[in-house]
Amino acid sequence: MSTLEIRDLHVAVEDKQILNGVDLSVSSGEIHAIMGPNGSGKSTLAYAIAGHPKYTITRGSVTLDGADVLDMTVDERARAGLFLAMQYPVEVPGVSVSNFLRTAVTAVRGEAPKIRTWGKDVKNVMTKLQMDPTFAERSVNEGFSGGEKKRHEIVQLDLLRPKIAILDETDSGLDVDALRTVSEGVVRVHAESNLGVLLITHYTRILRYIKPQFVHVMSAGRIVEEGGEELAAQLEDEGYARFGGGPVLTPAEPRPSVDGVLPGASGGGN
Amino acid sequence: MVVEEREITVGGDARPARFTSYDVEDFPVPTGREEEWRFTPLKRLKGLLKGADADGKVQIDVDGLGDGVTVTSIERDHPLVGSVLSPVERISAIAFAGFTSGTLISVAKRAVVEQPVTVTLRGEGGTAYGHLVLDVGDEASATIVLDHSGSATYAQNVEIRVGANASLTLVTVQDWARDTVHVGYHAALVGRDARFRSFTVTLGGDLVRLAPTVRYAGSGGDAELHGLVFADAGQHLEHRTLIDHETPKCRSRVAYKVALQGEGAHTVWIGDVVVRKAAEGIDTYELNRNLVLSEGARADSVPNLELETGEVEGAGHASTTGRFDDQQLFYLQSRGIPAVEARRMVVRAFFAEVIAKVPVEHLRDRLTGQIEAELEGSGV
Ligand SMILES: Nc1ncnc2c1ncn2[C@@H]1O[C@H](COP(=O)(O)OP(=O)(O)O)[C@@H](O)[C@H]1O
Ligand SMILES: [Mg+2]
């Protein structure tokens, strides 16, 4: 049982104060959704927890099972069990996916994966996320479509098996099929490893697949409302207007054509 | 980090052919203000500009001679000497006047030589002047490696003839001892429908200044000049490529990848491409990427493309100088990979593409190892 504890977190970017006191606690097995209008500070929260050098913590604390996360380097945070699926995964030309995955898994597990089973394991995970195994020989994220990048993030989530994962707009830019595949991946890892999930999203559509127990609304760098799943439904109807934002479902983001909830998606593994 | 962007000039007067002479005195001693010399630390040339006595030696050995390849010792009066290269700078003229015995490597017409021919040039101290001629006959194909090492103050002319329909891959490795000064003029003449691929790998030495040039003897020629340069603290590594398109329907590619680290590491890349009136339908592209790994290092990059005709297939250039990409490092680190390892992955990746193209396996392994060693020694 692990807990990520965020207390009174204030974060600035280039002298501009973005987060103004965020309190949040995520434990193993829990699924939290953070929703909010564009620019409300959702990605800032994610990057600050992961340790991106651009973000300065001006006040507050983040701990993982009592250990001071803010005192750790970026890689130490990952090895401690945190994972950030990025809104915009970075291209690393010249570094192959297979080399990258192997190096990352070796670093996080503290030992190299067994040569005998490694190739098969990677292939399995990629296949489950409907990523052609030939991607293993391509450069990390280079020339990947938006959907392929997001699938690759979840491949990493599956292989690295963190304690707590932050998924930053993993749903953006995905068509319905890709959204389903990616959600399935998250739900599966959650069920198999009792993962704690902090799901950041602007839209409610991914919540049809990944059912949150807790919904937090962020606005202007603060969490301004909290509730259960019903809060997401309410946001879908009302939009972010009363939090200073626009509608939740825009015409550009089509509703899933199949209104299905994935098996095992509800409640998820507790 | 400095990139000078000269305009792509189209039309205008034909660039005059470069002044050439075999008489050293036709080239005044540069002051350092000349365009050609403004980046070079003249004081560190150890007397090469003054024509210091040849009191040292660069020992030459040739390995991997197969059918169709011969090595001959040649004098200055050999018909091939001066057939491709005429000195355009003082040090080239000094080397021409100063060498005692040259080396000719010939690949017979139509010979297909699978095994690479390796020429080791080992500096044994002191000043030396060298002259090499690589002559690849029509329709032949070969790979030649010039492997420089040791300690020397060395001025060198290399003449490279690639016959019609022939194919030559030339790898030059500058793996010199830390105190070496190497000034080299590598002039290639690429025959009709011939292919010339070169890899210039410069890692060692105190001051290395190489001028690889390409001309074409007919149409359909194809030249690729790849560069891999890694400069450490205090090293000056300068590469001045010139592609002179005078004939129609030829192709040229220049791609230099340069990494620098440490106080006073200085690299210079000058990429000149001239496309003359007659060179219609040519296709040229040149690229220089510099990766600055630490403070105190300086990369100069001057791409320069002169088009005297607009009737070309393609003509372009790109030059970038950057530090480590913070986003890439963050991404790798966010997956648990320690910072040092992440940086190494990025540097390895930077060079991986060019190393992968080197067609000699043991050289690929060696270069990979040497890049590792450079990183090892630096704490990057
Ligand atoms: N690197 C940055 N430099 C400057 N401003 C930034 C940077 N990152 C975010 N911001 C600003 O911080 C605010 C919150 O951004 P972000 O956290 O990306 O919001 P969200 O993810 O909720 O859309 C925005 O006003 C944005 O412009
Ligand atoms: Mg965002």
Side-chain angles (χ1 to χ4, degrees), chain A residues 47 52 74-75 78-79 83-84 86 90-91 93-95 100 103-104 107-108 141 153 156, chain B residues 325-339 341 345-346 348-350 352:
Chain A
Y47 279 128
H52 194 290
V74 174
D75 47 301
R79 294 200 296 277
F83 180 86
L84 169 60
M86 295 190 201
V90 180
E91 301 191 358
V95 174
F100 166 64
T103 309
V108 166
N141 296 324
E153 294 293 281
Q156 295 166 51
Chain B
D325 185 324
D326 288 340
Q327 298 297 340
Q328 290 180 354
L329 289 181
F330 172 70
Y331 189 70
L332 296 173
Q333 280 184 267
S334 77
R335 272 45 175 155
I337 301 168
E341 177 72 12
M345 286 176 89
V346 171
R348 274 185 220 128
F350 180 70

Coordinates of all heavy atoms in Angstrom, one line a residue, chain A residues 47 52 74-75 78-79 83-84 86 90-91 93-95 100 103-104 107-108 141 153 156, chain B residues 325-339 341 345-346 348-350 352:
Chain A
Y47 N 4.0 17.8 -13.9 CA 5.5 18.1 -14.1 C 6.2 18.3 -12.8 O 7.3 17.9 -12.6 CB 5.7 19.2 -15.1 CG 5.6 18.8 -16.5 CD1 4.8 19.6 -17.4 CD2 6.3 17.8 -17.0 CE1 4.7 19.2 -18.7 CE2 6.2 17.4 -18.4 CZ 5.4 18.2 -19.2 OH 5.3 17.8 -20.6
H52 N 10.2 18.1 -13.3 CA 10.7 18.9 -14.4 C 11.5 20.1 -14.0 O 11.0 20.9 -13.1 CB 9.6 19.2 -15.4 CG 10.0 19.7 -16.7 ND1 10.7 20.9 -16.9 CD2 9.9 19.1 -17.9 CE1 11.0 21.0 -18.2 NE2 10.5 19.9 -18.8
V74 N 14.9 13.6 -10.7 CA 13.8 13.1 -11.6 C 13.9 11.6 -11.6 O 12.9 10.9 -11.5 CB 14.0 13.7 -13.0 CG1 13.0 13.1 -13.9 CG2 13.8 15.2 -13.0
D75 N 15.1 11.0 -11.9 CA 15.2 9.6 -12.0 C 15.0 8.8 -10.7 O 14.4 7.8 -10.7 CB 16.6 9.2 -12.6 CG 17.7 9.9 -12.0 OD1 17.8 11.1 -12.0 OD2 18.6 9.2 -11.4
A78 N 11.3 8.3 -10.3 CA 10.8 7.2 -11.1 C 11.1 5.9 -10.4 O 10.3 5.0 -10.3 CB 11.3 7.3 -12.5
R79 N 12.3 5.8 -9.9 CA 12.8 4.6 -9.2 C 12.0 4.4 -7.9 O 11.9 3.2 -7.4 CB 14.3 4.6 -9.0 CG 15.0 4.5 -10.4 CD 16.5 4.0 -10.2 NE 17.3 4.9 -9.4 CZ 17.9 6.0 -9.8 NH1 17.8 6.3 -11.1 NH2 18.6 6.7 -9.0
F83 N 5.3 7.5 -11.9 CA 5.3 7.5 -13.3 C 4.5 8.6 -13.9 O 3.4 8.8 -13.4 CB 4.8 6.1 -13.8 CG 4.8 6.0 -15.3 CD1 6.0 5.6 -16.0 CD2 3.7 6.3 -16.1 CE1 6.0 5.5 -17.4 CE2 3.7 6.2 -17.5 CZ 4.9 5.8 -18.1
L84 N 5.0 9.3 -14.9 CA 4.2 10.3 -15.6 C 4.0 10.0 -17.0 O 5.0 9.9 -17.8 CB 4.9 11.7 -15.4 CG 4.3 12.8 -16.3 CD1 2.9 13.1 -16.0 CD2 5.2 14.1 -16.1
M86 N 3.2 11.4 -20.3 CA 3.2 12.8 -20.7 C 2.1 13.2 -21.7 O 1.8 12.4 -22.6 CB 4.5 13.2 -21.1 CG 5.6 13.1 -20.0 SD 7.1 13.8 -20.4 CE 8.1 12.9 -19.2
V90 N 8.2 13.0 -25.6 CA 9.4 13.6 -26.3 C 10.0 12.7 -27.3 O 10.2 11.5 -27.0 CB 10.4 14.1 -25.2 CG1 11.6 14.7 -25.8 CG2 9.7 15.0 -24.2
E91 N 10.4 13.2 -28.4 CA 11.1 12.4 -29.4 C 12.6 12.4 -29.0 O 13.2 13.4 -28.7 CB 10.9 13.0 -30.8 CG 9.5 13.1 -31.2 CD 9.3 13.5 -32.7 OE1 10.3 13.7 -33.4 OE2 8.2 13.5 -33.2
P93 N 15.6 11.1 -31.1 CA 16.1 10.5 -32.3 C 17.4 9.7 -32.0 O 18.2 10.1 -31.3 CB 16.4 11.7 -33.2 CG 15.6 12.8 -32.7 CD 15.4 12.5 -31.2
G94 N 17.5 8.5 -32.6 CA 18.7 7.7 -32.5 C 18.7 6.8 -31.3 O 19.6 5.9 -31.2
V95 N 17.8 6.9 -30.4 CA 17.6 5.9 -29.3 C 16.5 5.0 -29.6 O 15.3 5.5 -29.8 CB 17.4 6.6 -27.9 CG1 17.1 5.6 -26.9 CG2 18.6 7.5 -27.5
F100 N 15.7 1.9 -25.1 CA 15.1 2.8 -24.1 C 14.3 2.0 -23.1 O 14.5 2.2 -21.9 CB 14.2 3.8 -24.9 CG 13.3 4.5 -24.0 CD1 13.7 5.4 -23.1 CD2 11.9 4.4 -24.2 CE1 12.8 6.2 -22.3 CE2 11.0 5.1 -23.4 CZ 11.5 6.0 -22.4
T103 N 16.7 -0.1 -20.9 CA 17.5 0.8 -20.0 C 16.6 1.3 -18.9 O 17.0 1.3 -17.7 CB 18.1 2.0 -20.7 OG1 18.8 1.5 -21.9 CG2 19.1 2.7 -19.9
A104 N 15.4 1.6 -19.2 CA 14.5 2.1 -18.2 C 14.1 1.0 -17.2 O 14.1 1.2 -16.0 CB 13.2 2.7 -18.8
A107 N 16.9 0.2 -14.9 CA 17.1 1.3 -13.9 C 16.0 1.2 -12.8 O 16.3 1.2 -11.6 CB 17.0 2.7 -14.5
V108 N 14.8 1.0 -13.2 CA 13.7 1.0 -12.2 C 13.7 -0.3 -11.4 O 13.5 -0.3 -10.1 CB 12.3 1.2 -12.9 CG1 11.2 0.8 -12.0 CG2 12.2 2.6 -13.4
N141 N 9.6 7.6 -30.1 CA 8.6 8.6 -30.4 C 8.8 9.4 -31.7 O 8.0 10.2 -32.1 CB 8.4 9.7 -29.3 CG 7.9 9.0 -28.0 OD1 7.1 8.1 -28.1 ND2 8.3 9.5 -26.9
E153 N 3.5 5.4 -24.3 CA 3.5 5.7 -22.8 C 2.9 4.6 -22.0 O 3.5 4.3 -20.9 CB 2.7 7.0 -22.6 CG 3.3 8.3 -23.3 CD 4.6 8.7 -22.7 OE1 4.6 9.3 -21.6 OE2 5.6 8.4 -23.3
Q156 N 5.1 1.7 -21.5 CA 6.1 1.9 -20.5 C 5.5 1.7 -19.1 O 6.1 1.2 -18.2 CB 6.7 3.4 -20.6 CG 7.5 3.6 -21.9 CD 7.7 5.0 -22.2 OE1 8.2 5.8 -21.3 NE2 7.4 5.5 -23.3
Chain B
D325 N 19.5 18.5 -25.2 CA 18.0 18.8 -25.2 C 17.5 18.5 -23.8 O 17.4 17.3 -23.4 CB 17.4 18.0 -26.3 CG 15.9 18.4 -26.4 OD1 15.3 18.7 -25.4 OD2 15.4 18.4 -27.5
D326 N 17.1 19.5 -23.0 CA 16.6 19.3 -21.7 C 15.3 18.4 -21.7 O 15.1 17.7 -20.8 CB 16.2 20.7 -21.0 CG 17.5 21.4 -20.7 OD1 18.5 20.8 -20.6 OD2 17.4 22.7 -20.5
Q327 N 14.5 18.6 -22.7 CA 13.3 17.8 -22.8 C 13.6 16.3 -22.9 O 13.0 15.5 -22.3 CB 12.4 18.2 -23.9 CG 11.9 19.7 -23.9 CD 11.0 19.9 -22.7 OE1 10.4 19.0 -22.1 NE2 10.9 21.2 -22.3
Q328 N 14.6 16.0 -23.8 CA 15.0 14.6 -23.9 C 15.5 14.1 -22.7 O 15.2 12.9 -22.3 CB 16.0 14.5 -25.1 CG 15.5 14.8 -26.4 CD 16.5 14.7 -27.5 OE1 17.7 14.5 -27.2 NE2 16.1 14.8 -28.7
L329 N 16.4 14.8 -22.0 CA 17.0 14.3 -20.8 C 15.9 14.1 -19.7 O 15.9 13.1 -19.0 CB 18.0 15.3 -20.2 CG 19.3 15.4 -21.1 CD1 20.3 16.4 -20.4 CD2 20.0 14.0 -21.1
F330 N 15.0 15.0 -19.6 CA 13.9 14.9 -18.6 C 13.1 13.6 -18.9 O 12.7 12.9 -18.0 CB 13.0 16.1 -18.7 CG 11.7 16.0 -17.8 CD1 11.8 15.9 -16.4 CD2 10.5 15.8 -18.4 CE1 10.7 15.7 -15.6 CE2 9.4 15.6 -17.6 CZ 9.5 15.6 -16.3
Y331 N 12.8 13.4 -20.2 CA 12.0 12.3 -20.6 C 12.7 11.0 -20.2 O 12.1 10.1 -19.5 CB 11.7 12.3 -22.1 CG 10.7 11.3 -22.5 CD1 9.3 11.4 -22.2 CD2 11.1 10.2 -23.3 CE1 8.4 10.4 -22.6 CE2 10.2 9.2 -23.7 CZ 8.8 9.4 -23.4 OH 7.9 8.4 -23.8
L332 N 14.0 10.9 -20.5 CA 14.7 9.6 -20.2 C 14.8 9.5 -18.6 O 14.6 8.4 -18.1 CB 16.1 9.7 -20.8 CG 16.1 9.7 -22.3 CD1 17.6 9.9 -22.8 CD2 15.6 8.4 -22.9
Q333 N 15.1 10.6 -18.0 CA 15.2 10.5 -16.5 C 13.9 10.1 -15.8 O 13.9 9.4 -14.8 CB 15.7 11.8 -15.9 CG 17.2 12.0 -16.1 CD 17.6 13.3 -15.4 OE1 17.7 14.3 -16.0 NE2 17.9 13.2 -14.1
S334 N 12.8 10.6 -16.4 CA 11.5 10.4 -15.8 C 11.1 8.9 -15.9 O 10.2 8.4 -15.3 CB 10.4 11.2 -16.5 OG 10.0 10.6 -17.7
R335 N 11.9 8.1 -16.7 CA 11.8 6.7 -16.7 C 12.8 6.0 -15.9 O 13.1 4.8 -16.1 CB 11.8 6.2 -18.2 CG 10.5 6.2 -18.9 CD 9.7 7.5 -18.6 NE 8.5 7.6 -19.4 CZ 7.4 8.3 -19.1 NH1 7.4 8.9 -17.9 NH2 6.4 8.3 -19.8
G336 N 13.4 6.7 -14.9 CA 14.3 6.1 -14.0 C 15.7 6.1 -14.4 O 16.6 5.6 -13.7
I337 N 16.0 6.5 -15.6 CA 17.4 6.4 -16.1 C 18.2 7.6 -15.5 O 17.9 8.8 -15.7 CB 17.4 6.5 -17.7 CG1 16.6 5.4 -18.2 CG2 18.8 6.5 -18.2 CD1 16.2 5.5 -19.7
P338 N 19.3 7.3 -14.8 CA 20.1 8.3 -14.2 C 20.7 9.3 -15.2 O 20.9 9.0 -16.4 CB 21.3 7.5 -13.5 CG 20.8 6.1 -13.4 CD 19.8 5.9 -14.6
A339 N 20.9 10.6 -14.7 CA 21.3 11.7 -15.6 C 22.5 11.3 -16.5 O 22.5 11.6 -17.7 CB 21.5 12.9 -14.8
E341 N 23.7 8.5 -17.4 CA 23.3 7.5 -18.5 C 22.4 8.1 -19.5 O 22.6 7.8 -20.7 CB 22.6 6.3 -17.8 CG 22.1 5.2 -18.7 CD 23.2 4.3 -19.2 OE1 24.3 4.4 -18.7 OE2 22.9 3.6 -20.2
M345 N 23.2 8.3 -23.5 CA 22.3 7.8 -24.6 C 22.1 8.8 -25.6 O 22.0 8.5 -26.8 CB 20.9 7.4 -23.9 CG 20.9 6.2 -23.1 SD 19.3 5.9 -22.3 CE 18.5 4.9 -23.6
V346 N 22.0 10.1 -25.2 CA 21.7 11.2 -26.2 C 22.9 11.4 -27.1 O 22.8 11.5 -28.3 CB 21.3 12.5 -25.5 CG1 21.3 13.6 -26.5 CG2 19.9 12.3 -24.8
R348 N 25.4 9.1 -27.7 CA 25.5 7.9 -28.6 C 24.5 8.0 -29.8 O 24.9 7.7 -30.9 CB 25.2 6.7 -27.8 CG 26.3 6.1 -27.1 CD 25.8 4.8 -26.4 NE 26.4 4.6 -25.1 CZ 25.7 4.4 -24.0 NH1 24.4 4.2 -24.0 NH2 26.3 4.3 -22.9
A349 N 23.3 8.4 -29.4 CA 22.3 8.5 -30.4 C 22.6 9.6 -31.5 O 22.4 9.4 -32.7 CB 20.9 8.9 -29.8
F350 N 23.3 10.7 -31.0 CA 23.7 11.7 -31.9 C 24.6 11.2 -33.0 O 24.5 11.6 -34.2 CB 24.4 12.8 -31.1 CG 24.9 14.0 -31.8 CD1 24.0 14.9 -32.4 CD2 26.2 14.2 -32.0 CE1 24.4 16.0 -33.1 CE2 26.7 15.4 -32.7 CZ 25.8 16.3 -33.2
A352 N 25.0 7.9 -33.7 CA 24.7 6.5 -34.1 C 24.4 6.4 -35.6 O 24.9 5.5 -36.3 CB 23.5 6.0 -33.3

